[in-house]
Amino acid sequence: MMLYESTRGKGDVIPSAEAIKKGIASDGGLYVPEGFVRLSMDEIKALVPMSYQERAKYILRGYLDDFTQEELADCVDKAYNTRKFSSADIAPVVLMNSSLNILELWHGPTCAFKDMALQILPHFLVKAMRKTGEKDEIVILVATSGDTGKAALEGFADVEGTRIIVFYPDGGVSEVQKRQMVTQEGGNVLVFGVEGNFDDTQTGVKQIFTDESLIKVMAEKGLKFSSANSINWGRLVPQIVYYFSAYADMVKQGRISFGEKINFVVPTGNFGNILAGYYAMRMGLPVNRMVCASNDNKVLTDFIHSGVYDRRRDFVRTISPSMDILISSNLERLLYELSGRDPERVSDWMARLRNEGYYDIGPSALRLLNEHFWGGWSSQEETLKTIECVYDEYGYVCDTHTAVGIDVYDKYVITTGDLTPTVMVSTASPFKFNASVCKALSMDDSDDEFELLKKLSEKTGLPIPEGLKGLEDKPVRHGRVCRRDEMKNVVMEALGL
Ligand SMILES: *Cc1c(COP(=O)(O)O)cnc(C)c1O
């Protein structure tokens, strides 16, 4: 059986269901598989004629081998279907021009790539709880700056045995994002605004999570907290699937010959998405380079160039907000590999980051890093310019996060001359970040985001995605805004305690 160990070496070694249930290891580390599942070239070839769902079942079973095939099939079928996704291909690869292919990961219900993981995680979690003898109902608590909250709500809505409570900073999310959340349907969902910014909201949620007296009262009622954050193995593993799927589609469409290596370009924040691509490569997928694209918060670009991870810098609020991150949590899993799976070195680097604000991985680990990764960044001006150029030249409309990736890919080709066939990973629908996209396309300025959705649709001829359509007319189901110091009471009331 595949077992999972902590990147810091001290936690228990446990099967996947336990790792998914626990989320983070007790020593503060992240769970990683003891070894990579290897796929032979024949196995990879066998993926080519398969549907996305079949590919998912095939890849997942190597890592989640304590789940039965029926359980995995049930999770996959509930997550990836045309009731939830606007494309029957789930994660289609479309052609932008003769050298660039776009993997669109935003056909899910919330129009951003978080759906790829958060549509399936709730099903993994419920089965993992049952499998490990847990009888309690799961309470998911989320603090969100926008995207994750809605994706988690959609994923957990009406999933049996779970409840979800989401807090967002009132005034700290866009009008569209807020509307998406406060109109959420489902019998087990609750959403609250918090007076304050995202940090206040997140601190409040963290305190509730670790409130011993509350946890005790909950246990008496058969309730237990769990988390859906991006370091959970159950969120990372479904992301490996679409790298294999994209490769299979490239072969199927005749864009590459089977066995040929390709590059992936990934707009990166917490390092979860790109790490899944690296895992796919370690499993045998023919990958030449992973290109890591950042915005002004270019900690990762600097890290890939120097081997020094330095968070001692100002945080910049950009037009690609889902990449505005200075501490990329999932990077720890890559460090584990770069250190030769040495938990002491990883613990040391993480302690330095916490205490001094930076760490240096040294020349040999840096050499390993540069074998497979290239890093670059795009300024906000360059990002807007890219949206405009891509639309003018190819008629393709991309969102701000994807545009960061396309701009960095241009820089990659100019710097390296590498013309390997490349898949650009696109992480959000242009409608999701419509204000910046409209600005880039020099359209009428309007403060009304709902009006802009219509205008963008008229200009580009693309339909407004289902999840964003008619939002302004949907009834508000969760209108309450609370103070930071009321959050615990709000949770207790919501749970009937
Ligand atoms: C979350 C997110 C990212 C960053 O992904 P990571 O896995 O955190 O690196 C990029 N783009 C969009 C639109 C996102 O929502």
Side-chain angles (χ1 to χ4, degrees):
M1 189 193 288
M2 179 65 85
L3 293 175
Y4 292 78
E5 61 197 23
S6 164
T7 48
R8 303 202 191 162
K10 294 200 189 71
D12 293 340
V13 177
I14 52 181
S16 82
E18 293 279 355
I20 290 170
K21 195 175 95 180
K22 288 185 72 176
I24 190 161
S26 43
D27 61 357
L30 275 50
Y31 282 114
V32 288
E34 277 188 319
F36 290 107
V37 173
R38 293 283 305 181
L39 264 65
S40 69
M41 288 311 277
D42 281 344
E43 285 177 295
I44 297 173
K45 201 171 206 166
L47 298 173
V48 175
M50 289 185 190
S51 66
Y52 190 84
Q53 293 81 353
E54 290 168 324
R55 290 169 184 165
K57 290 168 197 171
Y58 197 91
I59 306 287
L60 291 173
R61 76 173 185 212
Y63 286 109
L64 308 184
D65 59 354
D66 49 336
F67 289 67
T68 65
Q69 303 232 16
E70 291 72 30
E71 285 172 328
L72 285 182
D74 188 49
C75 292
V76 167
D77 294 336
K78 280 180 172 150
Y80 305 124
N81 58 62
T82 48
R83 273 172 289 121
K84 306 271 191 178
F85 282 76
S86 65
S87 162
D89 295 331
I90 307 299
V93 176
V94 307
L95 211 79
M96 193 178 92
N97 60 31
S98 58
S99 69
L100 202 57
N101 309 275
I102 309 237
L103 170 61
E104 294 180 342
L105 298 181
W106 40 262
H107 290 279
T110 77
C111 310
F113 106 97
K114 304 272 188 303
D115 288 330
M116 298 304 300
L118 279 167
Q119 278 297 312
I120 198 162
L121 174 75
H123 303 294
F124 287 159
L125 194 55
V126 168
K127 288 194 168 54
M129 296 290 267
R130 299 300 165 256
K131 200 177 263 308
T132 54
E134 198 77 58
K135 301 256 176 344
D136 287 354
E137 203 176 340
I138 307 163
V139 180
I140 300 288
L141 212 51
V142 181
T144 185
S145 56
D147 275 356
T148 306
K150 178 60 183 179
L153 284 167
E154 279 293 335
F156 280 94
D158 291 328
V159 172
E160 218 185 300
T162 72
R163 299 194 206 179
I164 175 163
I165 305 174
V166 170
F167 289 99
Y168 68 89
D170 192 40
V173 299
S174 79
E175 202 46 43
V176 166
Q177 285 174 324
K178 179 172 168 177
R179 270 278 159 168
Q180 277 189 306
M181 290 190 277
V182 299
T183 58
Q184 178 68 43
E185 294 173 13
N188 62 340
V189 309
L190 285 166
V191 180
F192 300 97
V194 177
E195 292 173 13
N197 60 25
F198 175 59
D199 279 338
D200 297 325
T201 311
Q202 190 166 40
T203 310
V205 162
K206 276 190 185 152
Q207 277 170 0
I208 298 171
F209 251 127
T210 50
D211 187 317
E212 294 292 342
S213 65
L214 178 59
I215 290 172
K216 201 161 149 250
V217 178
M218 285 176 59
E220 285 161 12
K221 298 268 177 172
L223 297 168
K224 187 175 218 158
F225 282 134
S226 186
S227 128
N229 66 24
S230 82
I231 53 174
N232 192 310
W233 174 247
R235 270 185 69 172
L236 189 63
V237 69
Q239 298 183 351
I240 298 172
V241 175
Y242 51 73
Y243 286 94
F244 280 96
S245 181
Y247 189 88
D249 281 342
M250 291 280 282
V251 173
K252 196 169 169 180
Q253 295 169 17
R255 305 279 291 163
I256 53 170
S257 48
F258 183 74
E260 198 177 343
K261 285 189 176 181
I262 66 174
N263 298 327
F264 286 100
V265 184
V266 189
T268 300
N270 228 342
F271 211 78
N273 196 353
I274 194 167
L275 181 78
Y278 169 80
Y279 272 36
M281 183 189 79
R282 294 292 303 267
M283 292 166 67
L285 191 69
V287 174
N288 173 51
R289 265 284 147 73
M290 300 297 303
V291 177
C292 176
S294 299
N295 62 24
D296 293 86
N297 297 291
K298 59 184 188 62
V299 197
L300 287 167
T301 310
D302 295 343
F303 173 63
I304 293 169
H305 286 269
S306 67
V308 179
Y309 192 97
D310 191 346
R311 61 169 291 205
R312 296 170 301 173
R313 59 183 80 204
D314 289 333
F315 176 86
V316 186
R317 262 182 210 296
T318 73
I319 54 172
S320 45
S322 302
M323 297 160 68
D324 291 345
I325 286 173
L326 290 182
I327 299 183
S328 302
S329 335
N330 262 302
L331 185 65
E332 184 166 340
R333 287 189 165 107
L334 179 67
L335 295 176
Y336 192 60
E337 303 305 322
L338 296 178
S339 70
R341 302 199 138 217
D342 181 344
E344 310 227 317
R345 281 177 85 197
V346 174
S347 305
D348 177 51
W349 291 334
M350 290 300 110
R352 282 174 198 276
L353 182 64
R354 214 169 33 247
N355 302 329
E356 291 154 54
Y358 77 102
Y359 58 83
D360 182 346
I361 60 170
S364 64
L366 178 61
R367 211 163 26 248
L368 274 179
L369 174 65
N370 289 334
E371 248 175 56
H372 301 298
F373 288 87
W374 193 89
W377 69 288
S378 177
S379 70
Q380 299 190 68
E381 217 172 294
E382 290 170 323
T383 304
L384 289 173
K385 190 90 201 137
T386 302
I387 294 175
E388 185 190 5
C389 289
V390 163
Y391 185 65
D392 287 349
E393 265 179 63
Y394 310 111
Y396 187 83
V397 194
C398 66
D399 95 295
T400 47
H401 304 76
T402 307
V404 165
I406 294 174
D407 184 38
V408 168
Y409 177 60
D410 277 344
K411 291 169 180 163
Y412 171 75
V413 173
I414 290 166
T415 311
T416 62
D418 177 21
L419 296 174
T420 303
T422 296
V423 171
M424 171 68 227
V425 178
S426 171
T427 51
S429 153
F431 287 94
K432 182 120 201 201
F433 297 93
N434 57 41
S436 300
V437 174
C438 287
K439 185 175 165 201
L441 300 182
S442 312
M443 293 166 52
D444 301 348
D445 266 340
S446 162
D447 285 340
D448 184 344
E449 291 181 32
F450 302 110
E451 198 51 43
L452 285 178
L453 285 174
K454 290 181 194 137
K455 288 194 173 153
L456 186 59
S457 173
E458 279 159 23
K459 169 153 179 126
T460 61
L462 298 170
I464 301 176
E466 214 45 59
L468 301 174
K469 209 174 356 189
L471 261 186
E472 65 274 36
D473 302 324
K474 281 197 183 155
V476 172
R477 307 168 60 100
H478 312 274
R480 182 158 170 202
V481 177
C482 67
R483 288 195 316 270
R484 157 80 202 283
D485 59 9
E486 291 174 320
M487 288 171 70
K488 181 179 168 186
N489 281 343
V490 161
V491 168
M492 292 188 65
E493 252 176 64
L495 298 176
L497 300 173

